[in-house]
Amino acid sequence: MVREKVRVSTRTLQWKCVESRADSKRLYYGRFILSPLMKGQADTIGIAMRRALLGEIEGTCITRAKSEKIPHEYSSIVGIQEPLQEILLNLQGIVLRSHLYGTCDAAICARGPGYVTAQDIIAPPFVEIIDNTQHIATLTEPIDLRICLQIERSRGYRTTENMVIDGSFPIGGVFMPVRNVNHSIHSYGTENEKQEMLFLEIWTNGSFTPKEALREATRKLIDLFIPFLHTEEENFHFEDNQHMVPLRPSTRPDKFVKIIKNKKKIALKSIFIDQSELPPRVYNCLKRNDINTLLDLLNNSQEDLMQMEHFCVEDVKKIVDILEKNFGIDLPKKKV
């Protein structure tokens, strides 16, 4: 466990991790502070961060299971101690971490008698099992057990809806790496100069550390607000209000225009390419060339990308389409 003394600065806004511990492989805890804040700001930030931590971070879960030995969900399974419903609940509780896009396949291969745990799951290398000791089933006889699994990355919570497809049983997905979030506010200072300190407590399931979860939630919030950074008064179109008085032309000084451009640059630097819905092959090619953020990508032209190893015309076209569709950005054919 790590603890640090809390030092309040009245000059600059700072955040700090004041406590960090791992209670188990599947339970991490972190406590953070942000200060100094003006009156009301702590509550604004605390509420937004709590919602982002619980609802916006993507997690990885097992969402389907299929076995030839199990014809339907109420069948008795010879040589297995647990009923199928309990096995599906155990699979739902397996904690995974991945950089997966969409779904992928995995399998359980085990022979009894003995215990079947998460260690018996054969998964792709980009899927990490956080706790190999998690229990799945108990084999009481010398039988072979093979279960095909579907792994998916998403966010929020998904119910099973009792949909059995081609003999595969649905598993309710809890795509929420953050288990719980609390925020509290401490006020200090004089009546005339009241300031606030925000305390944020985060519990995770082990697939993210609390610090990683805090950073990911912050990136998600930035992504949601980025469209407002691209808003300019002169670009508004009042199609439904044609009789309104037109706005005066912008009279911003050059210094203010530079500040806006810098803000856009910072915003682009905060968007990572794994948030851009790129195909896995294109994503891997970009990562190999040290292109990690949207700003890194925009520092290259289409011609630059074509010169990179394993890139083809279709890959570049896909990148151009995604940039235009999701961000309204054009990637130049050649560097200016």
Side-chain angles (χ1 to χ4, degrees):
M1 185 171 68
V2 179
R3 288 181 178 271
E4 295 183 16
K5 291 183 178 180
V6 179
R7 296 181 180 179
V8 179
S9 170
T10 57
R11 295 182 180 179
T12 57
L13 189 63
Q14 295 180 343
W15 76 274
K16 182 181 292 187
C17 177
V18 293
E19 186 175 352
S20 176
R21 66 172 186 263
D23 294 331
S24 69
K25 288 184 178 180
R26 286 175 277 161
L27 183 59
Y28 283 40
Y29 171 79
R31 188 164 180 253
F32 307 87
I33 62 166
L34 181 67
S35 68
L37 296 164
M38 296 174 63
K39 186 177 180 180
Q41 288 182 338
D43 204 32
T44 301
I45 297 172
I47 293 172
M49 286 304 303
R50 185 177 188 277
R51 292 182 67 88
L53 283 161
L54 292 174
E56 296 298 327
I57 301 178
E58 293 183 340
T60 305
C61 293
I62 299 171
T63 54
R64 284 197 169 271
K66 180 180 180 180
S67 176
E68 296 178 356
K69 294 181 177 292
I70 309 173
H72 58 81
E73 58 183 322
Y74 301 109
S75 61
S76 59
I77 312 169
V78 178
I80 302 180
Q81 180 175 304
E82 294 85 355
L84 176 61
Q85 292 296 331
E86 186 175 342
I87 294 174
L88 294 179
L89 285 174
N90 291 338
L91 289 172
Q92 180 179 327
I94 301 293
V95 179
L96 303 172
R97 177 188 175 106
S98 78
H99 297 288
L100 175 67
Y101 291 89
T103 63
C104 72
D105 296 326
I108 296 174
C109 296
R111 180 169 178 79
Y115 295 107
V116 180
T117 65
Q119 188 174 2
D120 297 303
I121 297 176
I122 303 172
F126 50 82
V127 177
E128 177 187 356
I129 300 171
I130 299 301
D131 185 0
N132 287 328
T133 65
Q134 283 186 267
H135 181 74
I136 297 175
T138 305
L139 305 183
T140 57
E141 297 182 13
I143 62 170
D144 291 320
L145 177 67
R146 178 176 174 81
I147 302 177
C148 298
L149 305 174
Q150 177 182 281
I151 296 175
E152 186 173 348
R153 187 182 183 201
S154 186
R155 65 184 183 92
Y157 178 78
R158 184 183 304 167
T159 58
T160 59
E161 299 180 354
N162 297 321
M163 292 180 61
V164 179
I165 302 174
D166 296 331
S168 67
F169 303 98
I171 300 174
V174 184
F175 304 97
M176 298 167 64
V178 177
R179 288 186 172 185
N180 192 21
V181 180
N182 284 336
H183 82 274
S184 57
I185 301 168
H186 170 69
S187 299
Y188 60 95
T190 63
E191 287 295 328
N192 295 331
E193 296 183 3
K194 207 75 171 177
Q195 291 183 316
E196 294 179 340
M197 179 185 297
L198 173 65
F199 286 84
L200 200 62
E201 294 180 286
I202 303 172
W203 289 263
T204 70
N205 65 357
S207 61
F208 280 75
T209 65
K211 187 178 292 186
E212 287 174 332
L214 186 61
R215 288 173 178 166
E216 184 67 16
T218 302
R219 282 201 289 263
K220 294 292 185 182
L221 282 176
I222 290 172
D223 290 347
L224 291 173
F225 285 103
I226 274 178
F228 296 107
L229 292 177
H230 297 296
T231 303
E232 303 286 347
E233 288 93 346
E234 57 268 25
N235 292 333
F236 279 118
H237 299 285
F238 297 98
E239 296 178 358
D240 299 328
N241 300 283
Q242 297 178 2
H243 301 292
M244 293 183 66
V245 178
L247 295 174
R248 293 169 56 189
S250 175
T251 56
R252 295 174 177 147
D254 292 340
K255 184 178 179 181
F256 188 66
V257 173
K258 289 181 180 178
I259 291 174
I260 292 176
K261 290 182 178 179
N262 287 335
K263 284 185 177 181
K264 289 182 180 180
K265 188 174 181 180
I266 293 170
L268 294 174
K269 191 176 181 180
S270 301
I271 304 177
F272 289 76
I273 60 171
D274 58 357
Q275 301 166 239
S276 304
E277 301 178 0
L278 291 168
R281 198 180 73 81
V282 178
Y283 168 80
N284 291 330
C285 287
L286 292 174
K287 293 289 285 186
R288 279 196 294 267
N289 288 277
D290 294 325
I291 298 177
N292 301 304
T293 67
L294 200 57
L295 185 61
D296 295 337
L297 181 56
L298 294 176
N299 285 333
N300 294 273
S301 64
Q302 296 182 34
E303 188 178 52
D304 294 333
L305 295 178
M306 284 297 299
Q307 293 176 358
M308 295 179 184
E309 190 176 3
H310 303 305
F311 258 103
C312 63
V313 176
E314 290 301 320
D315 297 334
V316 176
K317 187 177 183 300
K318 184 69 175 176
I319 292 173
V320 171
D321 290 342
I322 288 176
L323 287 175
E324 183 177 354
K325 177 184 175 182
N326 295 349
F327 306 101
I329 298 173
D330 293 326
L331 189 66
K333 292 184 179 180
K334 296 182 179 181
K335 276 195 175 180
V336 180

